[in-house]
Each structure stands twice: as C-alpha cells, then as structure tokens.
Amino acid sequence: MSERQPGFTIWLTGLSGAGKTTIAIALENELKSRDLYIERLDGDTVREGLTRDLGFSKEDRDKNIERVSFVAKLLSRNGVGVIASFISPYREARANVRQQSTNFIEVYVNAPIEVCASRDVKGLYAKAFAGELKGFTGVNDPYEAPENPEITVYTDQETVAESVEKIVTYLETHALIPQLQPA
Ligand code: ADP
C-alpha cells in the first residue's frame, strides 16, 4: 500500500479583506495540482451552511470556530490537508483548534487595517466606519493578532503567489507534502 499523505490544517487568520480567501483558493489550486487530498473551509461559505444559525457575538464567533474545529479535526486526522480561512479573532479559540487538529499551521494574513478598508471587498468597512454596522472586527470589535504564528504573510507587500509559495515551502520542509522533483 502506498504511504498515506499526512493530514494538516492550514489556518488562515486575519482581518476582513486581508486576503485569506484569495490565498486559500490559490493554495488549494496549487496543492490539488499536485494530486493531494485537500478540503477548503471558508468563513463565508461555512456561515451559509454549517453555522447559519450563528451571529457575530463573542459567544457565536467561538461556536462558529468550535464547529469548524471539529470538522478540521476529523479531516486532518484522516490524511486530508485542510485549508481554513476564518477571521477567527480570538486567540483562545484558535488555540483550541490547534490543540485538536493534526499538524496545525497558523498563518497570520497580515495587512494594515487601512489597506483592508481601502480594498473594502464587500463594502463592509464603509458601513462599519459610518456606524451602520456594529461588531465589525478591527473597527468596533476586537482582533487578537497571533503571537507565534508558524507563518506570517504580508499581503500589502507580497503578491498572492509569494504568499502561497511561503506556505508551500513550509509544508515541504516539514515533510507534510512531497518536494516537487526538479523537471
Ligand atoms: P478575506 O478573505 O481576508 O476577507 P479576500 O481574499 O476576500 O479577504 O479579499 C482580499 C482582497 O485583496 C481581494 O480583492 C484580493 O484580490 C486583494 N489583494 C490584493 N493584493 C493581495 C495579496 N497580496 N494577497 C491577497 N489578496 C490581495
């Protein structure tokens, strides 16, 4: 029997608009092109299904991450590479996922709030700054930045490809995915 791929959980955390989903999709494409088993879990899509009943209070945000954490645990311990992109503003919630997952890799998707706000992908910063949206992370709700992430990507200074490369290199050097053989 061929050797099984080790499971892992790449956990992308950062402000809204920092680039989590963009990097997650590019990373998923890269890893799938290498024939690896990958499952991507994204904040927006998970909230449309698995956690439709939850809002954005601290309690609900914690429940949201707790359920995702359960899914990531099941997948990563069975040899799947999980790519999870969630604002996940609370350190303790992220620490719990770390504890449950196999080969947990925290990636801090770092961009200054001014940059995220100027991108304003979903028009939410404008609403939050206008006071029309309460409890918006980074504006009027906390974001607890990671203290010791395995990887930090600076999306105001790097291209998407460079950020993806950093993550892929980490996976290769930690023997979580095979090194690509030179052509
Ligand atoms: P998040 O998932 O963190 O809310 P998104 O990925 O939805 O963020 O949005 C990030 C936006 O920033 C996208 O429109 C993306 O094209 C843009 N962007 C610009 N430069 C970068 C970069 N270097 N890395 C990631 N996203 C970038």
Side-chain angles (χ1 to χ4, degrees), residues 34 172 178-183:
R34 300 184 184 202
E172 287 178 343
Q179 302 262 2
L180 271 194
Q181 299 302 322

Side-chain angles (χ1 to χ4, degrees), residues 55 59 76-77 107 147 166:
E59 196 193 0
S76 62
R77 80 179 182 198
V107 180
E147 284 171 332
K166 266 189 185 173

